[in-house]
Amino acid sequence: MALQINYNSGVYEIKGLLNSQNSVYLENHLNALIAASTGIVLSLEKVTAIDQYAIKSVIALQEQTILMDKSFYIIGKKNKCVSEQFDALHYNDLLL
């Protein structure tokens, strides 16, 4: 399944495979949204698979947003593949 980004009730939902090949697309899209907003809520609950490169991209976006004094929340603790990958990189505490 291709990567989809949907906006639903204030949350940007990512659906499909998130990896090094398409995380640049996600970064570019979220960078534009971050510039125009006070914060982002990103849901990874519908991600079917994620690699460590994509996780590092999401974490870098979160760090950048915090430096801009904006909020960035990552939902995904209930998704086993996401939480396992975040845990492997010791970032599981960032998931909601």
Side-chain angles (χ1 to χ4, degrees), residues 3-8 11-14 18 22-37 39-42 61 64-65 72:
L3 178 71
Q4 293 179 356
I5 303 171
N6 299 314
Y7 182 74
N8 186 14
V11 178
Y12 293 93
E13 297 176 334
I14 310 303
L18 184 55
N22 60 16
S23 64
V24 172
Y25 169 72
L26 177 65
E27 285 179 53
N28 291 339
H29 189 74
L30 290 179
N31 274 325
L33 294 171
I34 291 166
S37 70
I40 298 288
V41 178
L42 182 68
L61 284 168
Q64 171 190 341
T65 306
F72 191 101

Side-chain angles (χ1 to χ4, degrees), residues 13-82:
E13 297 176 334
I14 310 303
K15 185 175 182 181
L17 174 66
L18 184 55
N19 60 22
S20 59
Q21 295 175 355
N22 60 16
S23 64
V24 172
Y25 169 72
L26 177 65
E27 285 179 53
N28 291 339
H29 189 74
L30 290 179
N31 274 325
L33 294 171
I34 291 166
S37 70
T38 59
I40 298 288
V41 178
L42 182 68
S43 174
L44 302 177
E45 290 292 326
K46 296 182 180 177
V47 169
T48 56
I50 189 167
D51 66 11
Q52 292 186 356
Y53 183 89
I55 290 172
K56 290 177 183 177
S57 294
V58 171
I59 299 303
L61 284 168
Q62 182 187 41
E63 291 170 349
Q64 171 190 341
T65 306
I66 290 170
L67 290 174
M68 297 170 70
D69 201 28
K70 297 182 179 191
S71 59
F72 191 101
Y73 299 100
I74 307 167
I75 301 170
K77 194 170 265 191
K78 294 179 184 176
N79 184 326
K80 186 177 179 181
C81 74
V82 170

